[in-house]
Amino acid sequence: MRHLALVPARVRAALERYRDLAYMSRGLATIACDAPITIDLDVCRYQGPDYSKLLEVFRQLEFRTLIKAVLKKMQDGAVAPADGEVSEPETGAVLSTAKTERHLDRVQDEGELKRWLWQALKGERNLGFSLIWEGQSYRRARIVALGFTSHLGTIGVNASDFPNLPQVLREVFEVLRPARLLAHDAKAHEVCLAQAGVGEIKMSGDTMLAAYLLDPTKTEYDLSQLVLEHLDEAFTEPELPWQRAALRSNYILRLHEVLEQKLRLADMDQLYQEVELPLTWVLGRMEMEGVRVDREGLKVMGEALAVDLEALSRQIYELAGTEFNINSPKQLGQVLFEKLKLPAGKRTKTRYSTSAEVLEELAHEHEIAAKIIEYRQLAKLKSTYVDGLYPLIDPQTGKLYTTFNQAVTATGRLSSTEPNLQNIPVRLEVGRKIRQVFVPRAEDWVILTADYSQIELRVLAHISGDENLRAAFFEGQDIHTRTASEVFGVPFDQVTPEMRRRAKAVNFGIVYGISDFGLARDLGISREEAKEYIDRYFARYPRVAEYIQQIIARAREVGYVTTLLNRRRYLTDLYSANRAVRSFGERTAMNTPIQGSAADIIKLAMLRVDRLLRERQLEAAMILQVHDELIFDVPKKELKAVAKMAKAAMEGAVELEVPLKVELKYGPNWYQLNELTDEELD
């Protein structure tokens, strides 16, 4: 403070006033070099990351990508191997994990392999099993290695050690008939073995499916992730195929025991054992069967769409007064909102929005918007369902082969990929015509479809116990006309098509938890009018309103909802502080038991239909499942028998408080279908 006179007056006044604080601040900012601290600087030296602890943190936070990155670093040698970690690969190996060590033996002799398996079956019949294959898919794969784990230990087999591999595989799996084989992705293993000539080998356990049932909201069910989550261990895949197969089989056996116990505690073991597991083989056969496509018809359709798109382009250019790239949102926005001066709606940081919603609003303002909507629809049809499907048709069989996924949707519904044959368009006539290229395998065969009629509304009637809703189904009335009659207060025979359309939107909107805003948008009416429709609906179906309140309250209490078969879905969104997220959780709580139960029912139906087809040794094959519909490829001579059988099996899949109804149709392709009535089946 000796030099206060040298500082400005304003600062000097503050220093004089807060003299003590200034000295204290200086003391706090001064490093105390005489602090009594004894430290070993070598201990402070950076030693690299602790991967075990890092993996534990990443596992808790569900950083799946980072977990893979850490495992990859460990595999690439970022972590020095422990003494004796790897022994001579020709005879065996000891592979360490984060917590344990696994001894793997390589078997190269057919006799030794069979003897090991016979000995394994004398004890615990559960065998961890893993295949390693090469190829674009398991339907066209070359088996590279096999791994087995039992109470005896763990062995791996290189396919290259057996020149007569197909024969060896048949003999080995004949030995394994009494075993309970446990795999990760059972369907892939079953199909791969079937394509290799082994025949029908059903897995008795699937760690992927078990994990999916325990948490159906995950984006993937990688084995290493599940091991980390449920066994609290980390492992990396060895480079050598036989070691990889062996190590995977070891973890599969151990993991399945834990998952099976968790399924029992969640009361889902019956769903697992009696529905999901046996369904893998049914779906596998459907995938191998495929569906035949009229290649020439698809080509002609593509050419016709190209002509229509060219004509639409010319019309759009004429309306715009200029040529531009219709597929460019930026150029389209400039034409619509700058050149034609149409009212702009949403806008991103860089351009105008030309979304379907915006174009639908503009269609009332200018003809060009409607033409662009039509252009986009045709362009998607051509690119996705013509250009996209054509190269996927097998040139030898003329068929498309899809993959049915059991462990994807949170509700339990199956999905279809590569290609997706569940999203063939149905809303527009031009889109529906795509279905005409899906044909039976031969001229004396037909396509048969069996479709559940309004299954979700029937499940809602069963779960809610609403007498009015149940009465409509017992009386065989059209549920949408019945709802229109009651909501709009008009006699049943005076319901107009527009009234029925609006009642249908309300019926299905209730199932999906629609709001007055959503209903207003779908029907093109005001929110007040939409709210009035919903209020009238609940007034006529009061038990439905009670069900919604009760299921949401129960879900908030226990944290999950269940289907009729006890399929469980956890709903963390219910506890979100964000109102929009919480509302989504409430809608999910309401509709998951309905959608999930419908999914359970059609899975049960598929199992029954498949069993009957095989028991009666019919030639007909179930080839597709599309939501509530099953599609069959059927010889004409078997049409009535298969139709009656499918209808009975599907309608009797479960016993509800309202009857299940199945509508049958048949024809020369999936588009040209004729109704098959009960009278025609007699």
Side-chain angles (χ1 to χ4, degrees), residues 162-267:
F162 300 91
N164 57 335
L165 182 65
Q167 180 63 28
V168 171
L169 288 175
R170 284 192 290 272
E171 294 177 2
V172 163
F173 282 94
E174 190 58 39
V175 173
L176 289 174
R177 291 285 175 190
R180 296 187 72 249
L181 292 174
L182 312 175
H184 186 77
D185 193 352
K187 173 162 64 69
H189 284 69
E190 291 164 349
V191 171
C192 193
L193 289 171
Q195 298 288 56
V198 175
E200 183 177 316
I201 302 294
K202 296 181 181 178
M203 300 296 115
S204 298
D206 185 341
T207 49
M208 183 184 76
L209 280 181
Y212 162 70
L213 287 177
L214 290 169
D215 184 359
T217 61
K218 287 181 179 291
T219 55
E220 61 178 344
Y221 298 89
D222 181 74
L223 181 60
S224 63
Q225 298 286 340
L226 298 178
V227 167
L228 191 62
E229 178 181 350
H230 296 280
L231 298 181
D232 200 24
E233 297 181 25
F235 82 95
T236 56
E237 303 264 0
E239 288 293 331
L240 297 177
W242 75 266
Q243 289 183 348
R244 200 177 331 143
L247 187 62
R248 287 178 68 89
S249 73
N250 186 294
Y251 275 114
I252 287 167
L253 180 62
R254 298 170 54 223
L255 178 63
H256 189 267
E257 182 180 356
V258 174
L259 296 178
E260 202 169 33
Q261 183 179 4
K262 291 183 178 182
L263 286 172
R264 283 194 292 270
L265 291 173
D267 200 19

Side-chain angles (χ1 to χ4, degrees), residues 13-145:
L15 287 174
E16 289 175 339
R17 183 177 180 184
Y18 299 108
R19 176 188 180 94
D20 293 341
L21 287 176
Y23 277 113
M24 184 179 72
S25 297
R26 186 181 69 174
L28 290 173
T30 302
I31 297 175
C33 298
D34 57 348
I37 298 175
T38 303
I39 189 168
D40 182 356
L41 292 178
D42 287 336
V43 175
C44 301
R45 199 180 305 278
Y46 177 64
Q47 303 292 333
D50 185 331
Y51 282 103
S52 297
K53 291 183 179 179
L54 187 61
L55 283 171
E56 175 61 24
V57 173
F58 286 174
R59 183 183 70 81
Q60 292 174 354
L61 298 175
E62 297 186 359
F63 290 168
R64 296 182 177 88
T65 302
L66 292 176
I67 288 173
K68 289 182 178 179
V70 171
L71 292 175
K72 181 68 166 58
K73 282 184 176 292
M74 295 172 70
Q75 184 176 358
D76 291 344
V79 178
D83 292 340
E85 188 172 19
V86 180
S87 62
E88 183 61 34
E90 290 302 316
T91 57
V94 178
L95 301 180
S96 74
T97 66
K99 293 193 174 182
T100 59
E101 290 189 348
R102 304 279 168 251
H103 184 79
L104 315 177
D105 287 318
R106 180 178 179 181
V107 175
Q108 297 173 272
D109 177 76
E110 181 179 347
E112 182 185 354
L113 175 60
K114 290 178 181 177
R115 283 191 296 273
W116 190 94
L117 294 173
W118 278 321
Q119 288 297 319
L121 294 180
K122 289 181 180 179
E124 172 63 50
R125 290 183 180 267
N126 283 348
L127 260 70
F129 171 56
S130 183
L131 280 178
I132 304 297
W133 61 77
E134 291 179 347
Q136 291 184 340
S137 74
Y138 51 79
R139 283 191 302 277
R140 292 192 170 191
R142 181 179 69 86
I143 295 176
V144 175

